[in-house]
Amino acid sequence: MSTAIVVGGGIGGTAAALALVRKGWSVQVLERAPEIADVGSGISLWSNALRALDALGVGDTVRAQGLAEVSAGIRDDRGRWLARTDVATLRERFGAPVVIHRARLLDILRAALPEGMVRTGISVREATTDGAVVHSSGTSSADLVVGADGIRSVVRRAVCGEVAPRYAGYTAWRALVDIDEPLTEFGETWGRGARFGMAPLADGRVYCFAVYDAPENAPGSLAEVRDRFDNWHHPIPALLAAADQNTVLHNDIYDLPALPTFTAGRIALLGDAAHAMTPNLGQGGCQALEDAVVLARSASEPDGLARYDRERRPRTQMITARSARIGTIAQLSARPLVTLRNTALRLTPTSTQLRSMAEILDWKS
C-alpha cells in the first residue's frame, strides 16, 4: 500500500488526506496545533469547490449548509448598487455557492477520515525530497509528502528554497456575528481604499470582513475599525458593533509569487503552500480542494507528480494573478479613479460578469 504524510491539517491538508484514502493510500496527517479548535472565519465554496467535494464524497453534506434565497452584488459606501449578481442565472449556470464556517467544513472533512489519522501537536521542522519528514516527535517517511502547511510553509523550502510572501498593501478584520434582523444579502461594499463584505450563514450568523489599506504589520483595534466604517450604509455599523473583540481575526493580506514548480522528488505542495492568493475571488480554499482531488488522482500514475504540477500550476497562478488585479481595483483610493471604477461597474452587463467567472467555476474533477 502506498503511504503519504500530509503536513498541515487545515482544509487543503485534510481534503488531500481524504482524497488519498479514497484512492487506497495509507495516510498520516501532522498538524502543529495542539487541538483542532472551533475558531476561524467563513469560507465561500463556489461550484468548482463543490465538485471537488463531490469527488471527496461530502458534497451533499456541504450543500446542506447553504442558503436558498439570497441576493448578491457590490454597493458603494452609501449603499447604492454598483453591480448586481443575477443569482438565478448563476445558480442555473454554475450551481449555487455555499458560505460555511471554516470549522464546520473541517468537521465534515475530518468526519470522513479514519479515526486517529490526524496527529495534533506535531511541529514539522524539515522535509526532504526522498520522503523524510523531521518533526517534534521524531522522523517519519513515506512515498509521498504533501506540503499543506500554509503560506509560510516549511515543506516548500525543500521544493523551492526560501520564498517570501508578498504583502498586498491592505489588512483585513474578519468576524462571525449575531444580529437581530435576518440578513439574506451576500456581497461587498467598495469605498476609497476600503471594503466591507458580508455573507449570511445557515446557522443564522453573519460572516463579515472589513478591509482597508494599511502599512504592513500596522497596529489596529476593533474600535478603530468601527470608527473607520461608522458612516457606511446599514447594516455595516451594526455588524461591526456586534463583533466580539475576543473572536475577531485580524490579518494582513499576502500572496505568493509564482513558484517555478509545485513538486520535487516525493514532495507535492498544495493550497497556500503552493499558491497563496488574496481573497478577492473567494478562491483560496476552493483551489486547495481542487488540488487535493487532482493530486490523489495523479499520485499513483507514472510521472504523476509532474502531471499534477502541469495541471495545477498554470491554473492556480492565473487565478492568483487575477485575484491580485481585482484587489488593486477594489482598493483604489483616488477620487477620480474611484469614480471611474464605480461607473465601469454600473455599466458592465451581468452577462459579462458571468462569462468572466466561467473560466474558474467550470472546473470539473
Side-chain angles (χ1 to χ4, degrees):
M1 178 182 291
S2 297
T3 59
I5 297 171
V6 178
V7 181
I11 290 170
T14 307
L18 178 55
L20 289 164
V21 165
R22 289 172 64 87
K23 294 291 185 180
W25 288 62
S26 173
V27 182
Q28 180 180 178
V29 180
L30 306 181
E31 166 55 44
R32 68 180 178 181
E35 61 181 0
I36 306 295
D38 184 20
V39 296
S41 58
I43 180 172
S44 300
L45 298 171
W46 294 86
S47 56
N48 54 316
L50 293 169
R51 293 189 195 99
L53 290 164
D54 287 336
L56 299 176
V58 296
D60 288 342
T61 303
V62 172
R63 285 188 182 87
Q65 306 296 310
L67 293 175
E69 299 299 328
V70 295
S71 60
I74 300 173
R75 297 178 184 263
D76 68 13
D77 55 10
R78 294 172 59 184
R80 297 172 299 190
W81 286 105
L82 300 176
R84 298 293 298 268
T85 301
D86 185 343
V87 176
T89 302
L90 177 71
R91 189 186 302 271
E92 180 181 350
R93 172 68 175 80
F94 302 109
V98 171
V99 180
I100 186 173
H101 192 319
R102 286 177 179 268
R104 176 62 183 136
L105 176 58
L106 266 174
D107 286 344
I108 292 170
L109 292 168
R110 284 201 315 272
L113 288 175
E115 190 171 351
M117 181 169 288
V118 180
R119 297 176 59 191
T120 56
I122 306 295
S123 297
V124 170
R125 298 166 183 162
E126 182 185 5
T128 60
T129 56
D130 62 358
V133 177
V134 180
H135 52 77
S136 53
S137 292
T139 300
S140 305
S141 60
D143 300 313
L144 172 66
V145 175
V146 180
D149 51 339
I151 190 170
R152 303 188 189 277
S153 170
V154 171
V155 177
R156 187 174 63 234
R157 296 176 194 157
V159 178
C160 302
E162 292 291 344
V163 179
R166 304 177 298 195
Y167 181 48
Y170 42 93
T171 194
W173 294 73
R174 299 180 175 93
L176 290 164
V177 303
D178 291 292
I179 57 173
D180 293 333
E181 62 180 289
L183 183 68
T184 59
E185 180 184 312
F186 293 82
E188 293 190 7
T189 297
W190 291 9
R192 295 176 55 224
R195 281 176 286 163
F196 191 92
M198 65 188 85
L201 304 182
D203 63 9
R205 292 182 296 175
V206 178
Y207 166 52
C208 59
F209 56 88
V211 180
Y212 54 87
D213 293 344
E216 188 175 13
N217 298 318
S221 69
L222 182 56
E224 291 169 349
V225 177
R226 287 168 175 156
D227 287 343
R228 181 182 291 268
F229 291 89
D230 183 59
N231 63 348
W232 285 39
H233 70 82
H234 181 78
I236 292 172
L239 290 168
L240 287 171
D244 184 345
Q245 176 67 58
N246 296 317
T247 58
V248 69
L249 302 176
H250 178 208
N251 304 100
D252 285 347
I253 302 300
Y254 296 86
D255 66 6
L256 281 181
L259 301 184
T261 180
F262 288 176
T263 65
R266 296 184 179 184
I267 297 176
L269 304 175
L270 63 70
D272 283 353
H275 48 71
M277 58 188 68
T278 57
N280 303 302
L281 284 171
Q283 280 291 317
C286 299
Q287 291 306 304
L289 292 169
E290 287 186 19
D291 289 344
V293 172
V294 175
L295 178 60
R297 173 179 13 104
S298 305
S300 299
E301 302 173 356
D303 201 31
L305 295 192
R307 185 174 303 180
Y308 166 76
D309 181 62
R310 288 194 300 271
E311 184 170 342
R312 294 305 301 158
R313 191 156 46 91
R315 173 170 169 80
T316 55
Q317 291 177 353
M318 174 273 290
I319 294 171
T320 298
R322 184 182 294 187
S323 185
R325 288 195 299 271
I326 291 174
T328 298
I329 294 168
Q331 292 298 126
L332 289 172
S333 58
R335 286 189 185 276
L337 293 177
V338 169
T339 299
L340 182 62
R341 177 198 68 192
N342 291 357
T343 300
L345 282 170
R346 290 191 183 99
L347 296 177
T348 301
T350 300
S351 58
T352 301
Q353 299 174 28
L354 294 174
R355 281 197 302 273
S356 71
M357 299 170 71
E359 187 176 9
I360 297 173
L361 302 189
D362 274 343
W363 178 87
K364 295 180 174 59
S365 62

